[in-house]
Amino acid sequence: MTKVAIFASGSGTNFENIAQRVQSGELSQIEITALYTDHDDAGCIALAHRLNIPVHINKVKDFDSKTAYETHLLELLREEQVEWIILAGYMRLIGETLLEAYEGQILNIHPSLLPKYKGKDAIGQALDHHETQTGTTVHYVDSGMDTGSIIAQKSCDIFENDTHDDVEARVKSLEYELYPAVISEIIQ
């Protein structure tokens, strides 16, 4: 059994999808030690409580530096014997403290066909550029913003009258299938 921590900052839909697949036995090779979040009002917290998954809430502003923040996270991760970190809507760049400790063992999912549209609101960026296709990418995390080696991608169409919500729903549907499949393949 491989111990993983899931990092999330928002609503937690990808976190919930992964956790439910772990609990159903579909991702039986992993154990989620805890949800790590940097917002005390994030929707993912309620989901974690409902799924009986421990939660670590740590806000960067409560630490003297990003290094101090990540050193604290690293202590928690080591206490829990975490082998992999799965980012699921974690809206913060991972710094060198965690990157060094977990080199090649941090996964992220991003709502675009990288290398296009890195960073925030990738779907809005695709719509602004009148793309006819977008999708989702699972990649390893490095020191850049959505620049790590790509593991897998899935695409979907953008139709002429699509709203942001229409495209987001299509992309989320792709994410809910792609991310668990990649996790299952990569984390043994």
Side-chain angles (χ1 to χ4, degrees):
M1 184 86 59
T2 302
K3 293 185 176 189
V4 304
I6 300 183
F7 284 34
S9 297
S11 65
T13 58
N14 270 304
F15 157 69
E16 179 181 35
N17 180 53
I18 294 164
Q20 287 175 336
R21 289 173 188 249
V22 168
Q23 291 180 351
S24 75
E26 185 179 332
L27 290 173
S28 61
Q29 75 274 31
I30 70 170
E31 173 191 339
I32 300 171
T33 63
L35 168 71
Y36 285 66
T37 186
D38 56 340
H39 292 280
D40 58 7
D41 60 350
C44 56
I45 297 167
L47 295 174
H49 290 314
R50 187 170 50 77
L51 294 164
N52 295 313
I53 295 172
V55 178
H56 297 296
I57 303 169
N58 295 283
K59 297 185 283 187
V60 176
K61 69 177 187 158
D62 293 338
F63 295 85
D64 292 334
S65 66
K66 183 173 183 169
T67 300
Y69 167 75
E70 287 198 348
T71 298
H72 176 71
L73 295 183
L74 189 55
E75 289 169 6
L76 294 171
L77 293 163
R78 286 185 173 150
E79 280 174 24
E80 294 172 350
Q81 300 174 327
V82 169
E83 299 168 68
W84 282 83
I85 297 171
I86 298 171
L87 305 184
Y90 186 66
M91 303 306 289
R92 182 168 299 290
L93 284 177
I94 301 294
E96 70 179 66
T97 302
L98 288 177
L99 284 173
E100 285 178 14
Y102 285 91
E103 184 177 353
Q105 293 172 279
I106 306 174
L107 301 177
N108 186 40
I109 192 156
H110 183 72
S112 78
L113 296 173
L114 292 173
K116 280 187 169 183
Y117 311 124
K118 299 171 184 166
K120 290 185 179 179
D121 195 19
I123 292 170
Q125 293 178 59
L127 288 169
D128 289 345
H129 285 89
H130 307 288
E131 295 287 351
T132 58
Q133 237 187 14
T134 191
T136 188
T137 303
V138 179
H139 64 94
Y140 289 105
V141 174
D142 64 13
S143 60
M145 183 180 296
D146 301 318
T147 57
S149 298
I150 293 171
I151 300 166
Q153 294 182 311
K154 252 190 147 133
S155 63
C156 62
D157 291 325
I158 299 176
F159 301 106
E160 190 174 331
N161 295 319
D162 273 346
T163 65
H164 191 286
D165 288 345
D166 295 333
V167 178
E168 184 175 24
R170 229 173 275 127
V171 169
K172 285 274 184 205
S173 179
L174 296 176
E175 289 178 343
Y176 297 158
E177 295 307 314
L178 183 63
Y179 212 8
V182 170
I183 291 166
S184 180
E185 186 179 318
I186 299 280
I187 301 176
Q188 299 299 326

